[in-house]
Amino acid sequence: MAETGYAPLNRTVDKTNRVLREIEEAHGWTSERRNQSYAALRAVLHALRDRLTVDESAQLAAQLPLLIRGVYYDGWRPSTVPVKAHRKEFLDRVSCELAFELQESEEDLVKKVLHALRKHISDGEWEDVKSTVPKDLASILP
């Protein structure tokens, strides 16, 4: 467990490390590839955030662990959302944010990242997110 001297921060660091570890395990990456798991998490979060309305984005963010919520909001410009994107545009956006070459499809990456995050989000909120995006994009959300 991380020791920051403040219990809520310790918990969010631990939750974030668990999510990153799950992403690494899903891809067969070692912990030495933590930068890649973080980059994948960030790219998927930002693509999803920018596809949602401001209200839906805030409702989703409220359920994320504190540290991941900070990553989610980093660089956000609410006046420019939602960005209209179907499946292909969404996956292209994720790919553009990655600073490493994928050994799999963008769709597989997105599914693995969202699967790791999904346990932090209520069923009702996840259904709201899925109902907000086009059906072809919703089909790749776990």
Side-chain angles (χ1 to χ4, degrees), residues 85-93 136-137:
H86 286 270
R87 182 180 181 157
K88 181 184 180 333
E89 294 88 4
F90 181 88
L91 295 173
D92 288 347
R93 163 77 190 274
D136 66 334
L137 177 53

Side-chain angles (χ1 to χ4, degrees), residues 55-123:
D55 286 345
E56 191 58 48
S57 189
Q59 290 169 17
L60 173 63
Q63 295 192 15
L64 296 173
L66 182 63
L67 191 54
I68 294 174
R69 190 177 322 144
V71 173
Y72 181 83
Y73 279 126
D74 185 43
W76 190 39
R77 295 187 343 230
S79 64
T80 65
V81 298
V83 174
K84 300 298 180 194
H86 286 270
R87 182 180 181 157
K88 181 184 180 333
E89 294 88 4
F90 181 88
L91 295 173
D92 288 347
R93 163 77 190 274
V94 169
S95 182
C96 284
E97 283 206 27
L98 298 175
F100 61 92
E101 191 171 321
L102 283 175
Q103 302 300 314
E104 63 191 327
S105 71
E106 290 87 355
E107 185 174 323
D108 286 342
L109 177 100
V110 168
K111 287 178 178 179
K112 290 172 183 176
V113 168
L114 291 177
H115 187 268
L117 281 175
R118 179 63 182 85
K119 62 187 63 157
H120 298 283
I121 302 164
S122 71
D123 292 341

